[in-house]
Amino acid sequence: MKFFVDTADIADIKEMADTGLLDGVTTNPSLIAKSGRDFMEVTKEICDLVDGPVSAEVVALDHETMMKEAETLRKIADNVCIKVPLTIDGLKTCKKLTSDGTKVNVTLCFSANQALLAAKAGATFVSPFVGRHDDNGLDGMELIADIRRIYDNYDFGTEILVASIRNPVHVLKSALIGADVATMPPAVIKGLFKHILTDKGIEGFVADWEKTGQTIPTS
Ligand code: G3P
């Protein structure tokens, strides 16, 4: 499963990229606003930091303007992936862009039928929002399982990019279901490394090693 980080914060992206485990970045208008940065400038900086796809979202709601915005965003870098909302205009734009070879991430997906439409529109990625699904008393992971089953039934090439991830359990269940990508805040990625027994184990090893009075030569 590919790991994307869901942020426009350059310092966080650098820290995640340094682990060697980062496969891409997703942003959206809210994350850009939170960064306080110029959209075009910060997107270029992010594209220079990672080799994988960097999702940059159009803000127009009509197809014609979405296409114009996408044309501008595509020029930022070769690894820009255009993000469009799951609407009729968004999927018209998706169909046109992917037919020209541009990667498209269809976002704000909240039903398996919407995901089916995104695949039919040739989406590179579809982004079902599991956290917001859960927030409304629905089962976000059931949505991912339904989409996985539908995509496998018809051998669709669209990748399931699980978004709105709030905790490591979302990541675990996404992997068990067979989602292709998980995009998550930096804190959730860091949480994946943590386990109390790992910390306790390291403490024990360090304490016992110190008793030997030895060191491992490093030069
Ligand atoms: O990529 C979508 C993500 O940023 C939304 O997350 O926690 O606002 O639902 P959240």
Side-chain angles (χ1 to χ4, degrees), residues 6 28 31 83 129 132 163-164 166:
D6 193 39
N28 60 44
L31 292 172
K83 218 178 190 184
F129 279 33
R132 296 190 191 183
S164 185
R166 306 281 176 76

Side-chain angles (χ1 to χ4, degrees), residues 139-154:
D139 185 341
M141 297 323 298
E142 186 178 6
L143 171 61
I144 303 302
D146 288 349
I147 297 170
R148 178 74 284 157
R149 189 169 160 199
I150 291 169
Y151 280 16
D152 292 348
N153 286 347
Y154 298 97

Side-chain angles (χ1 to χ4, degrees), residues 7-23:
T7 184
D9 183 292
I10 292 294
D12 281 338
I13 294 168
K14 278 179 180 167
E15 185 182 7
M16 295 298 104
D18 285 349
T19 66
L21 302 175
L22 187 65
D23 300 303

Side-chain angles (χ1 to χ4, degrees), residues 79-102:
N79 55 330
V80 163
C81 175
I82 303 298
K83 218 178 190 184
V84 298
L86 212 153
T87 61
I88 290 176
D89 285 78
L91 293 191
K92 280 171 68 176
T93 303
C94 175
K95 185 79 176 173
K96 183 79 175 77
L97 289 173
T98 52
S99 62
D100 295 342
T102 300

Side-chain angles (χ1 to χ4, degrees), residues 3 31 35 39 46 50 61 79 96 114 122 124 127 141 150 164 177 184 186 201 205:
F3 280 10
L31 292 172
S35 77
F39 182 22
I46 295 170
V50 300
L61 300 179
N79 55 330
K96 183 79 175 77
Q114 284 183 318
T124 312
S127 291
M141 297 323 298
I150 291 169
S164 185
I177 290 167
M184 57 200 114
F205 286 164

